[in-house]
Amino acid sequence: LVGQGAGSGLDFISICDQLQRDPEPEVRFVMAQKAVSVAQASSPAAVGGVLVPNLLALVTDSMYRTPQDRAQLAGVLVDLVEHCDANSEAVGRVVGEVSALLASSEESQFVRIQLIESTPKLVAVTGASSPAAKDLMGKVLKFFDLSSQDGGAKAVALAGDMPASGANPVWCWRLRHVASETVGAPELVPLGTDFYREFLAPIVQAALLDQCTLVRVSAITGMATWAARYENAGATPGQWADENVVPALLALRQASETKHPNKSSYALRLTLVYGLECSAGYLSPNGLAQLVSSVADKDVQQEVPNVRVAIARCFARLHQSLDFKGSPAEQMVSGALHKLSGDADMDVKELANAGLAKERLPLTFPHWGPTGAPWCTARVGAAP
């Protein structure tokens, strides 16, 4: 029937409409799951006038089936937008409902997670400079706003690693994790550096200070994706990363030294090292030196062995595989590895000595980074 839908006109849509509004919940659910296939065989007017309203009714009905089922249908609903006219009333209704559900403290966490994941699609459809895009990205940023809670210890507790079942806290870490993942969404990266500066840089800034490691790592990975895409966008290679990645990671460096309930853990230092790993290949020689210096000057002597292990692994990879292009970072990395090669911790010592070795070892590989950093293989011979 779907294969003949385009030629069947209103009869085809009428049948689908009846099935989507069937008295049996199971029938409505199965039909809603097939909405994208139906949309592909229908006109934009039919999608916006019939399929979207029916699916909206299911997604926003808190009594319909389970939150997980409605979350699944929420993803289908956003996919339907791509089959509507961009300026149609249906798209406006979907954006309005998504915005309301994102802001609702009563809505299921599962539904909101799905809608956060789908936000980049909506932004791409409505346009980067549209009011809808500004509203949706503002809602995503709000998931990092702990000050809207009762404050103090309760706010911190509500934002902690709570289970995904039962009475979920409004600012559950899972919501913040998905929000941080929007930074590297493939639908948003092509929208340009101005979009990043206005909407994504604030998300990165908030996510890097989050107490959940997954939130911080997702933001860094997304930021590195932008650095790779816009490596040559400035007057000189690496300018974008120098202007965006370096300040963000240096702010993280400063936060790791601040005594605060959310910032006192050595985990922030590990995140900084991960950020250096991800972005090293996209920085200018001076930008690379700034970040390497921020780690080499202070954390090589860090009392927590896990931090020294992370630095030894990171610097070993840089020393063996990265083209430093004359950056003073090369001497900093080499000096730090020599210091760590005599470390009391066996793992630190082994990694540092491996980094100083002439042969390429398993700890390095030619394309290392989110999208493949420009590692220099000629320096130590051909990759295995």
Side-chain angles (χ1 to χ4, degrees):
L1 182 61
V2 169
Q4 301 177 0
S8 303
L10 294 177
D11 291 338
F12 170 72
I13 289 298
S14 177
I15 293 172
C16 295
D17 182 27
Q18 292 177 32
L19 291 173
Q20 284 189 326
R21 295 186 292 108
D22 194 272
E24 291 295 330
E26 185 66 26
V27 175
R28 298 201 302 274
F29 182 71
V30 171
M31 195 61 199
Q33 289 180 304
K34 300 180 181 295
V36 174
S37 298
V38 174
Q40 293 171 346
S42 307
S43 67
V47 174
V50 177
L51 302 183
V52 168
N54 287 342
L55 207 51
L56 269 173
L58 300 183
V59 172
T60 57
D61 182 1
S62 60
M63 301 302 293
Y64 178 70
R65 293 175 67 91
T66 67
Q68 292 92 329
D69 289 337
R70 290 195 296 117
Q72 183 179 347
L73 297 187
V76 177
L77 174 64
V78 174
D79 288 340
L80 284 183
V81 170
E82 298 178 347
H83 299 278
C84 298
D85 293 325
N87 298 319
S88 66
E89 179 183 351
V91 172
R93 286 189 61 190
V94 171
V95 170
E97 289 292 348
V98 168
S99 178
L101 291 173
L102 287 176
S104 172
S105 60
E106 302 300 323
E107 187 48 74
S108 160
Q109 171 182 280
F110 298 103
V111 174
R112 285 190 292 166
I113 285 176
Q114 178 60 63
L115 292 177
I116 295 171
E117 290 179 345
S118 301
T119 293
K121 287 185 181 180
L122 286 178
V123 171
V125 169
T126 59
S129 60
S130 67
K134 293 181 180 180
D135 177 62
L136 291 170
M137 295 309 300
K139 293 294 194 307
V140 172
L141 179 60
K142 278 289 186 181
F143 286 102
F144 297 95
D145 185 11
L146 291 178
S147 62
S148 64
Q149 298 299 313
D150 293 340
K154 182 179 180 181
V156 175
L158 285 175
D161 297 359
M162 303 292 286
S165 59
N168 298 311
V170 175
W171 304 111
C172 175
W173 71 267
R174 289 173 176 81
L175 296 170
R176 304 194 313 275
H177 178 216
V178 178
S180 69
E181 288 187 320
T182 62
V183 174
E187 297 89 351
L188 300 184
V189 175
L191 299 183
T193 56
D194 288 342
F195 181 87
Y196 178 92
R197 190 178 303 110
E198 182 175 359
F199 299 113
L200 299 181
I203 292 177
V204 170
Q205 183 180 7
L208 288 184
L209 300 183
D210 199 278
Q211 71 259 35
C212 177
T213 300
L214 286 176
V215 175
R216 300 193 304 272
V217 166
S218 293
I220 283 179
T221 304
M223 185 167 54
T225 301
W226 281 79
R229 172 66 179 263
Y230 295 99
E231 179 184 5
N232 298 309
T236 57
Q239 180 178 333
W240 190 92
D242 286 0
E243 294 176 350
N244 294 274
V245 177
V246 172
L249 294 182
L250 290 181
L252 180 61
R253 161 85 267 175
Q254 183 178 4
S256 70
E257 300 171 347
T258 304
K259 292 184 178 180
H260 185 280
N262 287 349
K263 305 171 187 175
S264 60
S265 172
Y266 73 89
L268 290 185
R269 299 172 191 266
L270 291 175
T271 305
L272 172 62
V273 176
Y274 175 73
L276 174 58
E277 289 186 29
C278 287
S279 59
Y282 310 118
L283 296 162
S284 73
N286 289 335
L288 179 62
Q290 280 186 274
L291 287 186
V292 169
S293 174
S294 71
V295 173
D297 289 349
K298 299 180 180 180
D299 287 339
V300 169
Q301 305 297 329
Q302 233 284 329
E303 65 274 11
V304 180
N306 282 352
V307 175
R308 302 198 306 278
V309 166
I311 295 171
R313 180 183 293 112
C314 173
F315 280 13
R317 287 172 167 172
L318 296 183
H319 190 259
Q320 284 208 343
S321 300
L322 186 65
D323 183 356
F324 286 92
K325 300 177 182 178
S327 172
E330 185 169 12
Q331 293 302 318
M332 298 180 199
V333 167
S334 177
L337 286 175
H338 278 94
K339 286 182 181 179
L340 293 171
S341 66
D343 196 275
D345 186 278
M346 183 182 302
D347 293 328
V348 176
K349 181 188 299 186
E350 182 177 347
L351 285 167
N353 283 311
L356 293 169
K358 291 182 179 180
E359 69 274 13
R360 181 186 295 276
L361 298 177
L363 59 84
T364 61
F365 41 97
H367 297 293
W368 177 63
T371 59
W375 302 110
C376 176
T377 57
R379 176 184 156 98
V380 289

